[in-house]
Amino acid sequence: MTGSLALILHAHLPFVRHPEHEFFHEENWLFETISESYVPLLQMMQRLLRRGIRFKITLSISPTLSAMLSDPLLRDRYVRHLDLLGALAERECERNRAEKNLLSLSEFYREFFAETRRTFVEEWDCDLLGVFRHLRGTGAVEIMASAATHAILPILQQSPGAAHAQIAIGCDQFRETFGGEPHGFWLPECAYSAGIAKSLQAENIRWFIVDAHALEQAQPPARRGTFAPCFTRAGPAAFARDIQAGRQVWSAQQGYPGESTYRDFYRDLGFDLSAEELAPLPRNNFTGIKYHRVTGHDVPKQLYDRAAAGEMARRHAHHFVERCIAELESVPAADWNPIMTVPFDAELFGHWWFEGPIFLEHVLLAAAENKLPLTTPSEFLEQNPTQQLTEPATSSWGDQGFLDVWLDQKCGWIYPHLFTANTRMATLAKSRGRETTGDDERVLRQLARELLLAQSSDWAFLIRNGTAKNYATKRVTDHLSRFQKLAEQFENKNIDGEFLAQCEAQDNLFPHVDWRRFLWLVIPSEVEEPLDILKKKK
């Protein structure tokens, strides 16, 4: 058939590593997602390759996630986490021995945690990045780069050089983690504005992903809508998200995950059992043991039926592929090759939507069965090198399609502090140039880490939505406080070695970070808009 489908998964979590505590709640964000998303997705892809099923999928793995997946402390804590859940599931089997349906689910979770542990420890040697690298080597998976700490680049553009440093350091981390040069780049939250393409071109990036309205409102507008990429004036090509296909999958109201047969995310054993029954696990925390299905509004919760949910995921996968084929066949493309670009957060598959990996596996199988070509943006550009030239509009895939989520009045206080710190970082970097001692290098690298972590978009998102608000606020203020204290000591040539070592142990990501990336100079006229103008609607 004419046309092809590009499935793109963006894997990202904020850097949540707290060696100063034996147990820390936010580290569970990582552990839950490894168990429910990353391991099942990797198992699914390995299974298809063993069966000889040909598929193409594109992945981004954010640098903060890569740093956590390679961290020995977090690896050990994840295995401990699995052991605690396995013990809880064992106790649940005993507790539910008299109830056949509950016992079956308890046994499933006991086996799920045991198999996850066996795969992670014995088969993969606790090295998920190694599995990603292997899949990349098969040619079935393309991995793209992303910004260093998932910052919203159009906002950082208001501070000269900040967005470029995020892009350049993100590409540096890709090279260090995966080897070779990245071809594609995931813009955090698909947030784009003029000038970003120039920074991508400086790192030899060939393509990136935007939301649909970025091309619909481009100058000039994209003639082929979202069914073809457009080259920017700076060089890299913009691929736009297909709205309908995306909504069908991620929307709990209009899409597949809201189906009453699927497992309910929010009804978790960690909220149902007493503190004594859960110990040593804390109460009112997610355990991943969930006995109920979505069921529906105003209906008593019913028990989860794994077989029925798996069959529903298979049916939804075939429906999704049929819709993609129909949409591609409806495109009047007599002399050009259309592409549907469908990006998702990887964590949707498994963590938020437990049956997501089953769905995705059947999508890949149904695509092969129905001869729907799967491709990657890099492969598409190689085969279709002639495309329209345009400049995408400022946009994101966040609520309202612009930058409102991260510029909300609840979190807008963050950015003046970030801009001040960025100016100070650039000044310090410029003052040293290439004449640095070993001690200078240590301080400048740690300054870069603290600033990059403060720039993470996750903190503004959590503050604005009221989820983990206090934690996110503390993370921003802690990173900026450490940055300011180190900068003052550096300027006064009076470094507190003990404090520096504490910072290095606490925020230890990017061990070889290049602080000179903050020397990138931006001509003021190239900065698109002042911060207050960024608050306008799309």
Side-chain angles (χ1 to χ4, degrees):
M1 62 171 290
T2 301
S4 55
L5 175 67
L7 291 170
I8 297 172
L9 301 183
H10 170 52
H12 164 68
L13 286 173
F15 189 71
V16 284
R17 177 183 181 274
H18 290 274
E20 72 277 19
H21 298 282
E22 186 63 23
F23 291 90
F24 201 81
H25 169 72
E26 280 73 18
E27 287 182 353
N28 288 344
W29 298 349
L30 172 67
F31 304 153
E32 293 165 14
T33 313
I34 291 176
S35 295
E36 297 175 348
S37 288
Y38 305 145
V39 170
L41 287 171
L42 289 170
Q43 288 174 322
M44 176 270 289
M45 287 184 266
Q46 288 186 332
R47 189 162 53 244
L48 290 178
L49 288 173
R50 286 195 296 268
R51 293 177 57 186
I53 304 297
R54 299 182 63 185
F55 67 91
K56 293 280 187 179
I57 199 164
T58 306
L59 284 168
S60 77
I61 304 169
S62 73
T64 51
L65 176 58
S66 292
M68 292 189 292
L69 293 180
S70 62
D71 187 86
L73 174 68
L74 290 176
R75 288 179 176 183
D76 290 344
R77 288 185 173 184
Y78 173 59
V79 175
R80 179 186 66 183
H81 176 77
L82 286 176
D83 289 340
L84 291 173
L85 291 179
L88 176 61
E90 188 68 53
R91 296 197 300 273
E92 280 297 285
C93 290
E94 183 65 26
R95 186 174 73 90
N96 295 321
R97 179 170 293 182
E99 299 184 52
K100 180 179 178 181
N101 291 334
L102 274 177
L103 176 61
S104 176
L105 287 171
S106 299
E107 291 173 337
F108 160 71
Y109 286 114
R110 180 180 62 186
E111 294 165 8
F112 176 82
F113 294 130
E115 177 60 18
T116 299
R117 191 189 194 283
R118 186 201 66 79
T119 302
F120 182 78
V121 175
E122 300 176 19
E123 186 175 336
W124 295 345
D125 195 26
C126 303
D127 184 13
L128 292 186
L129 290 177
V131 184
F132 282 116
R133 282 189 287 265
H134 171 74
L135 288 169
R136 179 173 177 244
T138 68
V141 175
E142 177 175 7
I143 299 180
M144 53 182 164
S146 188
T149 56
H150 211 261
I152 301 298
L153 301 177
I155 298 178
L156 286 195
Q157 270 190 300
Q158 313 313 304
S159 182
H164 179 82
Q166 277 277 342
I167 291 169
I169 293 172
C171 290
D172 289 342
Q173 295 309 309
F174 177 94
R175 298 178 187 106
E176 187 172 325
T177 303
F178 299 105
E181 293 295 318
H183 301 312
F185 193 93
W186 179 268
L187 300 175
E189 306 296 347
C190 295
Y192 179 84
S193 62
I196 288 175
K198 183 177 179 180
S199 293
L200 296 175
Q201 177 62 29
E203 296 301 315
N204 201 29
I205 294 296
R206 300 179 186 176
W207 57 266
F208 56 95
I209 307 295
V210 292
D211 208 342
H213 57 286
L215 290 190
E216 291 167 355
Q217 300 178 19
Q219 294 297 325
R223 294 191 299 270
R224 295 168 179 173
T226 63
F227 290 101
C230 290
F231 285 111
T232 60
R233 295 183 179 91
F239 286 77
R241 177 171 72 128
D242 186 278
I243 293 293
Q244 296 304 320
R247 184 179 293 116
Q248 188 67 50
V249 174
W250 65 259
S251 174
Q253 288 74 39
Q254 305 173 43
Y256 305 130
E259 166 62 43
S260 63
T261 308
Y262 291 137
R263 192 183 79 161
D264 190 303
F265 172 82
Y266 293 100
R267 183 70 183 271
D268 188 279
L269 199 66
F271 300 87
D272 288 345
L273 295 186
S274 67
E276 292 74 20
E277 291 171 311
L278 287 164
L281 291 166
R283 194 171 188 277
N284 294 330
N285 283 270
F286 286 105
T287 65
I289 299 178
K290 308 171 197 287
Y291 291 141
H292 297 84
R293 59 186 179 92
V294 173
T295 306
H297 295 294
D298 303 320
V299 178
K301 286 293 180 185
Q302 299 178 17
L303 288 181
Y304 178 55
D305 185 332
R306 289 182 52 245
E311 174 59 21
M312 184 61 69
R314 186 194 67 80
R315 289 169 54 189
H316 280 157
H318 281 269
H319 178 260
F320 177 78
V321 169
E322 289 167 2
R323 286 193 58 167
C324 288
I325 292 173
E327 192 169 351
L328 284 168
E329 289 179 340
S330 69
V331 179
D335 58 348
W336 57 281
N337 187 24
I339 180 174
M340 284 181 65
T341 304
V342 191
F344 302 104
D345 286 328
E347 296 76 24
L348 168 66
F349 299 93
H351 179 56
W352 296 107
W353 178 22
F354 190 64
E355 297 77 15
I358 301 173
F359 166 84
L360 194 57
E361 182 170 8
H362 283 287
V363 165
L364 298 176
L365 290 169
E369 178 184 339
N370 290 277
K371 296 182 171 53
L372 169 61
L374 299 177
T375 189
T376 67
S378 294
E379 184 178 73
F380 183 87
L381 288 176
E382 289 175 5
Q383 298 172 357
N384 304 271
T386 304
Q387 300 294 336
Q388 180 185 354
L389 181 69
T390 188
E391 179 56 41
T394 302
S395 55
S396 82
W397 75 352
D399 186 32
Q400 304 299 317
F402 203 66
L403 302 171
D404 304 52
V405 171
W406 304 276
L407 290 172
D408 188 272
Q409 61 181 355
K410 297 177 183 177
C411 51
W413 59 269
I414 295 173
Y415 304 109
H417 298 290
L418 293 183
F419 297 163
T420 299
N422 183 71
T423 300
R424 196 172 190 179
M425 181 71 209
T427 301
L428 291 175
K430 187 176 181 181
S431 71
R432 290 303 186 269
R434 299 186 180 278
E435 302 297 326
T436 57
T437 66
D439 289 341
D440 287 343
E441 289 285 334
R442 278 185 64 191
V443 178
L444 288 164
R445 285 177 176 171
Q446 194 59 35
L447 284 167
R449 294 184 192 107
E450 301 296 349
L451 177 55
L452 290 168
L453 286 169
Q455 292 172 344
S456 171
S457 67
D458 301 282
W459 315 137
F461 180 85
L462 292 170
I463 292 169
R464 186 257 193 182
N465 288 353
T467 53
K469 174 184 175 182
N470 293 337
Y471 174 72
T473 302
K474 189 174 189 304
R475 287 296 301 271
V476 174
T477 54
D478 282 356
H479 291 304
L480 287 173
S481 175
R482 288 196 280 269
F483 175 89
Q484 291 167 4
K485 185 173 180 178
L486 280 173
E488 183 176 344
Q489 292 178 359
F490 192 60
E491 290 163 346
N492 294 330
K493 299 180 181 180
N494 184 27
I495 296 297
D496 181 341
E498 184 177 350
F499 177 69
L500 174 59
Q502 290 173 353
C503 293
E504 290 172 327
Q506 177 90 9
D507 301 322
N508 69 337
L509 77 174
F510 312 158
H512 307 112
V513 63
D514 186 357
W515 53 269
R516 292 179 176 85
R517 291 298 199 175
F518 287 91
L519 292 172
W520 176 272
L521 297 177
V522 177
I523 301 171
S525 62
E526 293 179 353
V527 177
E528 190 69 2
E529 299 131 337
L531 187 61
D532 56 344
I533 297 179
L534 285 176
K535 295 179 181 178
K536 67 183 181 181
K537 294 289 189 291
K538 65 172 178 138

